Amino acid sequence: LKADAPIRMLCCGRMVEKKGQRIAIEAFASINDALPPASTLELIGSGPLEAELRRLADRLGVAKSVTFTGLLSRSRYLESVHAADLLLAPSITAPNGDTEGGAPTTILDAQSAGTIVVGSRHADIPFLIEDEVTGFLADEGDTHGLAMRIVHALDHATRWPRIAVTARSRIEELHSDAAVSAALVAAYGRLAP
């Protein structure tokens, strides 16, 4: 991360309440004036809240800095993940009870790519992000808290290489094809008579 270089943040997922894009936009808007000029938040995905989220970005005065890319091919999505400085994963439990069924795979993709993740303490996200070790965590639904963790992450960018290596190492150890296959074989082995 170069001094005074624009910060590129990314938030990916279907545009529904549980993914927390509203929180990402509000957090970005609250710190935008303190970020280097031309910093951006890119939202990848689509869904029923897209028009509302666009209006929110406009109302908060950050519409020119928030990009809505819509759905992308897997390869283009991964290019965006690799190019980002931070992936935001502020998932929440929606008012109707909708929640993540685990942890968003976008976190695994980002950690595999070496992109730093700032996520929420929601569902299984804390199993992928150990605060200050493999990323940064904010309390679920806490817009101000997410904004402060983004600022904290940026203030500690010198630690990102170590965090990225640790996160990738854990992905390889626990979530790689080889690790998942071995766990599946072991589980089937325990079921055999």
Side-chain angles (χ1 to χ4, degrees):
L1 195 64
K2 295 177 183 174
D4 297 323
I7 306 301
R8 185 171 178 192
M9 295 181 223
L10 187 63
C11 189
C12 309
R14 188 162 182 265
M15 293 184 179
V16 293
E17 189 87 24
K18 73 178 177 181
K19 293 296 185 180
Q21 289 103 338
R22 175 188 55 79
I23 294 166
I25 293 169
E26 290 174 347
F28 176 78
S30 74
I31 60 172
N32 190 45
D33 288 342
L35 295 173
S39 293
T40 59
L41 172 62
E42 178 182 359
L43 278 77
I44 296 176
S46 66
L49 295 182
E50 183 172 348
E52 181 181 323
L53 293 170
R54 286 177 181 272
R55 287 191 300 272
L56 175 64
D58 188 51
R59 190 170 68 250
L60 295 176
V62 292
K64 291 181 179 177
S65 301
V66 177
T67 305
F68 290 80
T69 64
L71 297 175
L72 298 178
S73 67
R74 174 98 175 133
S75 61
R76 288 206 42 226
Y77 152 74
L78 289 175
E79 286 173 12
S80 288
V81 171
H82 279 273
D85 297 302
L86 294 172
L87 174 86
L88 306 183
S91 297
I92 60 170
T93 301
N96 68 359
D98 192 16
T99 185
E100 296 289 357
T105 57
T106 55
I107 295 173
L108 295 172
D109 291 334
Q111 290 178 326
S112 293
T115 301
I116 301 301
V117 182
V118 182
S120 60
R121 290 183 177 90
H122 170 78
D124 288 344
I125 292 174
F127 290 107
L128 296 181
I129 302 173
E130 182 180 351
D131 194 33
E132 305 277 342
V133 178
T134 59
F136 299 90
L137 287 172
D139 288 338
E140 178 180 342
D142 183 356
T143 300
H144 177 73
L146 180 67
M148 292 303 94
R149 294 309 281 164
I150 292 168
V151 169
H152 177 79
L154 294 171
D155 286 345
H156 293 86
T158 57
R159 294 174 45 209
W160 289 10
R162 181 169 39 85
I163 289 170
V165 167
T166 303
R168 180 159 177 103
S169 171
R170 290 211 185 150
I171 292 297
E172 291 172 355
E173 177 187 345
L174 301 172
H175 302 283
S176 67
D177 289 346
V180 172
S181 295
L184 188 58
V185 167
Y188 280 128
R190 289 190 297 274
L191 295 175

